[in-house]
Amino acid sequence: DVQCKNVSANFMVWGGNDIVQFMLTSASDADLTKRKNALSLINVLSFPLTQLQASARHALSGKSSKPLINIFNQIPGNETEKKTTLDQALRGVLGDLIQKPSCDDYLSLIYLSIDAVTEGICSATTPFVLLGDVLDCLPLDLCDKIFSFVEENVSTWKSNSFYTAGKNYLLRMCNDLLRRLSKSQNTVFCGRIQLFLARLFPLSEKSGLNLQSQFNLDNITVFNKNEQESTLGQKSTEEKEDGMEVEEGEMGEDDAPAPCSIPIDYNLYRKFWTLQDYFRNPVQCFDKFSWMTFLKYSDETLAVFKSFKLDDMQASKRKLEELRASGGEHVYFAKFLTSEKLMDLQLSDSNFRRHILLQYLILFQYLKGQVKFKSSSCVLNDDQTAWIEETTKLVYQLLREIPPDGDKFATMVEHILNTEENWNSWKNEGCPSFVKESDELTRLWNLNQDNMEACKSDSREFMPSLDEFFAEAIEQADPANMVEEEYKVVRNPNYGWRALRLLSRRSPHFFQPTNQKFKSLADYLDSMVSKLAKELPDIPSEEIKTGEEDDDDNGDNLLKDSNDSPSIQSKLVTNQQMDDIAAKLGAQWKMLASHLEMKASELREIETDSEDVDMQAKLLLVSWQDREGTQATVENLVTALNSAGFSQIADSLSEA
């Protein structure tokens, strides 16, 4: 009957107990015979699930997926239902394993599910579901071991069989782990998770990019802001009493810290740690009064670094040897320790000084750099730019003076920051894909099985003659052949590039000055073809238009840059213009969106990225600019504004 059919259809998804409950509830009004038939059907249908669970346990103990494959092939039914049943069976086996925690057993089961996916007998999401279940049930110390397995198999997760089905599961799993971890106490584990995600997803994955260059404003450095509670400036006897107690025999003579020669008071302490707020939120530096404060505090801090330099004698020789022998492995603190009692030790520590100076360089790079979403008001004046340039030189000088290996460290930092400029440019361009598809390059790479050997072939060492190479172009230039402009070989960029190389080697016309201006490479080649047609034998050149009437042979412009073409001459919309238009549009930006042919999904993404209507309007214009590229011109934007009913904004843009 109908109820029995429902049981048959849903059994592959539900467990046996769930189906029994379903039948007892839904069949309450049925007669006794129907109930017995339904329960008999349950017993029949529960056989595949039970059999697959037993087979999975047998495969797990034997560490081979063959028993599972054999049973799967013997069970009747369609593939989808059988896969769903096996998925449920594997989760059932995991439920039994959870009762007695053993990471090896969990990993063996997950390996078994991976083999099952490879053999096509279970769903591609099953290994990720099992991983998520395991991590949800285990304490953090065991999660660390399971995650090591996840890291080691990143190549498996990126394969075609798993990536599409599992990327969202892995992202959710990693985010759940990060929510359980403490950034200050589990710093290394958090870093491993972030590195794993960076390896798993491509660089252009939007979920991992800070597209709007937002800052982590929650990273606040807490320090003593009440001078009355400060212990700095007290007598040395009081400092000794309040200082850290050291048990006798705990520190040797060579390890005892030298008395600090840096005069530290509460003023220096307060100004030094206040700078962290500017490093946290660099936008403050564009405010006039905040900049003056930053300038004053920075000058005093860097003056202390410059006046009281570190040398190898100040640091313990044993500590340096341990650092070099450890291969860079040392304790890492996620937050600065801001106790007043540690101030003298921190300023005498080479690593601490490097951290602070590196923060300066990162801040300066942001202030000077071109950031797409930086407000139009965030502009440095000449005095600020000059101070930053001068201070940057001072910071690099101080980095070189810090032992050990100061020169090497400063050079490495400078290289990394220069490389960072490339990433900034990539983000400003809308994060285009790194994959460049070219049919011509694909054809070239497949000409021969061994391309390197093919390049050494003697047949490649040749240069065609002018008449052979330009014969087709000269023939097409003859008006009698009636070849349309768009179909001429001179319009082919590849042909044009080779033609220029050949002309530079074989034709005297290439270096002759001319007063004639050309709008494109094709026009220039048309002119050269006309000249060559006169010189080459057996080619009727009298019918070909030479185009030399205006050439007085005395100019010096051989080929006008192709940027003078009308499409490039059109004025592109600037960042300042987009800021002005966004401010005028405000909450009405959606009226313009339809005339810019923006999709509904793009509009939802804009509303998600920002709640501020002015920023939403700016994001709309930026998205349009990224999509249109060189066609994002003032003329096209004016047309869209007029169509949307913003004629006043369009007029102001046209007059700008």
Side-chain angles (χ1 to χ4, degrees):
D1 59 6
V2 176
Q3 290 173 339
C4 292
K5 290 182 179 179
N6 288 337
V7 174
S8 177
N10 289 284
F11 179 78
M12 295 302 179
V13 180
W14 295 357
N17 293 332
D18 295 331
I19 297 178
V20 172
Q21 183 64 35
F22 165 77
M23 287 307 303
L24 291 176
T25 303
S26 61
S28 58
D29 297 332
D31 57 23
L32 184 59
T33 304
K34 287 188 176 181
R35 287 190 183 186
K36 289 182 178 180
N37 291 337
L39 292 175
S40 298
L41 179 61
I42 290 173
N43 292 330
V44 173
L45 291 174
S46 62
F47 175 71
L49 179 61
T50 306
Q51 196 174 16
L52 284 172
Q53 284 183 339
S55 178
R57 293 188 183 95
H58 179 59
L60 195 60
S61 60
K63 295 184 179 181
S64 172
S65 60
K66 290 183 179 179
L68 196 59
I69 298 172
N70 294 334
I71 294 297
F72 182 89
N73 293 330
Q74 294 173 10
I75 296 176
N78 63 59
E79 292 295 315
T80 303
E81 291 179 347
K82 290 162 64 175
K83 284 185 178 181
T84 306
T85 307
L86 180 56
D87 296 342
Q88 187 67 26
L90 292 174
R91 293 193 75 182
V93 174
L94 178 63
D96 297 337
L97 294 176
I98 290 293
Q99 305 300 325
K100 40 182 180 180
S102 172
C103 287
D104 292 337
D105 290 341
Y106 302 149
L107 296 180
S108 297
L109 181 62
I110 295 170
Y111 272 123
L112 180 63
S113 67
I114 292 174
D115 291 341
V117 173
T118 306
E119 296 293 337
I121 63 175
C122 81
S123 304
T125 58
T126 301
F128 307 104
V129 173
L130 296 177
L131 270 173
D133 291 343
V134 169
L135 291 173
D136 287 342
C137 297
L138 295 182
L140 289 177
D141 56 338
L142 294 180
C143 286
D144 194 329
K145 297 180 180 179
I146 298 295
F147 192 77
S148 297
F149 160 80
V150 177
E151 290 176 302
E152 293 168 1
N153 287 275
V154 65
S155 58
T156 301
W157 315 137
K158 293 176 71 174
S159 64
N160 295 332
S161 303
F162 294 93
Y163 182 74
T164 303
K167 62 178 183 179
N168 290 332
Y169 283 92
L170 288 171
L171 181 60
R172 191 182 306 116
M173 180 188 73
C174 290
N175 287 333
D176 289 341
L177 269 178
L178 288 172
R179 277 190 286 268
R180 294 173 59 188
L181 296 170
S182 167
K183 292 183 179 178
S184 56
Q185 297 181 9
N186 307 108
T187 310
V188 175
F189 198 175
C190 291
R192 286 170 56 197
I193 293 174
Q194 298 288 1
L195 287 173
F196 167 74
L197 291 174
R199 292 170 60 195
L200 176 67
F201 291 100
L203 288 172
S204 54
E205 174 66 34
K206 295 297 178 72
S207 62
L209 298 175
N210 183 12
L211 292 176
Q212 297 183 34
S213 301
Q214 295 175 339
F215 301 101
N216 180 18
L217 301 181
D218 295 331
N219 184 25
I220 299 175
T221 301
V222 180
F223 62 95
N224 179 24
K225 298 183 180 180
N226 188 351
E227 187 173 3
Q228 303 300 324
E229 299 177 359
S230 173
T231 59
L232 291 170
Q234 297 181 6
K235 294 181 180 180
S236 58
T237 55
E238 295 177 353
E239 291 180 346
K240 186 174 182 180
E241 292 175 359
D242 294 339
M244 295 180 293
E245 296 182 0
V246 179
E247 295 183 3
E248 186 176 356
E250 187 173 282
M251 185 178 292
E253 294 180 0
D254 294 337
D255 299 329
C260 178
S261 59
I262 303 176
I264 300 174
D265 55 11
Y266 178 77
N267 235 359
L268 176 61
Y269 169 83
R270 177 180 60 85
K271 293 176 181 178
F272 180 84
W273 289 117
T274 300
L275 289 172
Q276 290 300 317
D277 195 53
Y278 293 92
F279 298 142
R280 176 183 68 95
N281 185 15
V283 179
Q284 298 178 86
C285 294
F286 294 105
D287 178 74
K288 180 179 179 181
F289 297 102
S290 298
W291 171 259
M292 296 304 296
T293 304
F294 171 74
L295 190 69
K296 179 181 177 182
Y297 290 3
S298 295
D299 285 341
E300 293 187 22
T301 299
L302 294 175
V304 171
F305 283 9
K306 187 176 181 181
S307 301
F308 300 92
K309 299 179 180 179
L310 302 179
D311 54 51
D312 288 304
M313 297 303 295
Q314 281 183 283
S316 168
K317 293 181 180 179
R318 185 175 64 83
K319 294 290 183 183
L320 283 175
E321 290 173 358
E322 288 179 358
L323 180 63
R324 289 171 180 146
S326 66
E329 296 181 4
H330 55 277
V331 179
Y332 173 76
F333 296 97
K335 295 284 290 182
F336 284 120
L337 304 177
T338 58
S339 170
E340 296 176 350
K341 299 175 183 179
L342 297 174
M343 188 72 180
D344 55 345
L345 296 174
Q346 288 172 325
L347 293 180
S348 301
D349 183 76
S350 58
N351 283 336
F352 182 81
R353 286 201 182 192
R354 283 174 172 171
H355 277 297
I356 302 302
L357 295 174
L358 185 55
Q359 284 182 304
Y360 271 108
L361 294 176
I362 295 173
L363 172 66
F364 293 162
Q365 185 180 54
Y366 173 79
L367 296 178
K368 295 188 300 180
Q370 298 294 326
V371 180
K372 191 170 190 176
F373 286 95
K374 191 187 290 185
S375 174
S376 57
S377 60
C378 296
V379 179
L380 298 172
N381 57 39
D382 293 339
D383 293 338
Q384 290 174 319
T385 303
W387 183 86
I388 289 176
E389 293 292 341
E390 182 181 350
T391 308
T392 300
K393 295 178 182 178
L394 174 61
V395 169
Y396 275 116
Q397 177 187 341
L398 293 173
L399 281 175
R400 291 186 177 92
E401 294 173 353
I402 295 176
D405 304 321
D407 286 330
K408 186 177 180 180
F409 182 83
T411 303
M412 178 185 65
V413 167
E414 187 173 12
H415 172 72
I416 292 173
L417 292 178
N418 288 336
T419 305
E420 191 69 17
E421 291 291 346
N422 298 328
W423 292 109
N424 289 340
S425 301
W426 177 66
K427 288 177 68 174
N428 289 339
E429 294 168 2
C431 304
S433 173
F434 288 95
V435 179
K436 304 296 183 184
E437 296 183 359
S438 172
D439 295 336
E440 184 65 19
L441 287 177
T442 302
R443 185 186 66 82
L444 289 174
W445 280 113
N446 290 282
L447 287 177
N448 195 286
Q449 292 183 351
D450 190 342
N451 288 312
M452 295 305 296
E453 288 299 323
C455 290
K456 300 176 183 178
S457 173
D458 295 336
S459 62
R460 290 180 50 82
E461 298 181 7
F462 72 94
M463 184 186 301
S465 62
L466 288 173
D467 54 344
E468 291 175 351
F469 187 82
F470 285 99
E472 184 180 3
I474 293 173
E475 183 179 357
Q476 292 178 349
D478 190 345
N481 293 325
M482 302 176 63
V483 179
E484 297 181 14
E485 287 294 321
E486 59 180 312
Y487 298 112
K488 291 183 177 180
V489 291
V490 294
R491 302 290 170 184
N492 186 331
N494 293 330
Y495 182 90
W497 176 72
R498 287 178 291 167
L500 288 178
R501 294 189 63 189
L502 183 61
L503 288 170
S504 66
R505 300 291 297 273
R506 292 192 180 274
S507 175
H509 297 295
F510 186 81
F511 298 101
Q512 286 181 355
T514 177
N515 201 31
Q516 191 175 357
K517 296 182 179 180
F518 304 99
K519 293 182 178 180
S520 66
L521 174 60
D523 293 338
Y524 167 72
L525 290 178
D526 278 335
S527 174
M528 295 300 293
V529 165
S530 301
K531 293 180 180 180
L532 292 173
K534 293 181 178 181
E535 302 173 353
L536 299 179
D538 302 327
I539 297 179
S541 61
E542 63 277 357
E543 298 180 2
I544 301 178
K545 183 179 178 181
T546 62
E548 299 179 30
E549 291 82 0
D550 299 327
D551 188 359
D552 58 3
D553 293 330
N554 292 320
D556 56 357
N557 293 324
L558 177 62
L559 177 61
K560 189 175 181 181
D561 191 87
S562 60
N563 287 340
D564 292 336
S565 60
S567 60
I568 304 301
Q569 282 182 341
S570 299
K571 190 175 180 182
L572 298 176
V573 179
T574 64
N575 192 45
Q576 179 64 49
Q577 289 172 329
M578 287 195 292
D579 284 338
D580 296 339
I581 295 172
K584 294 175 182 178
L585 286 174
Q588 296 178 309
W589 62 273
K590 287 187 179 180
M591 296 173 60
L592 177 63
S594 60
H595 296 276
L596 293 178
E597 300 180 357
M598 303 298 291
K599 299 178 181 177
S601 59
E602 294 174 321
L603 300 185
R604 288 194 297 270
E605 186 176 353
I606 289 173
E607 291 176 324
T608 304
D609 288 343
S610 178
E611 297 179 358
D612 181 65
V613 292
D614 290 343
M615 179 54 73
Q616 288 175 349
K618 175 67 179 293
L619 290 171
L620 169 69
L621 295 172
V622 169
S623 299
W624 169 76
Q625 185 187 54
D626 290 341
R627 187 191 68 200
E628 296 297 323
T630 57
Q631 298 302 316
T633 60
V634 172
E635 181 182 358
N636 291 339
L637 184 55
V638 167
T639 303
L641 287 167
N642 284 324
S643 301
F646 300 106
S647 55
Q648 292 184 349
I649 301 178
D651 293 339
S652 63
L653 179 60
S654 301
E655 296 170 359

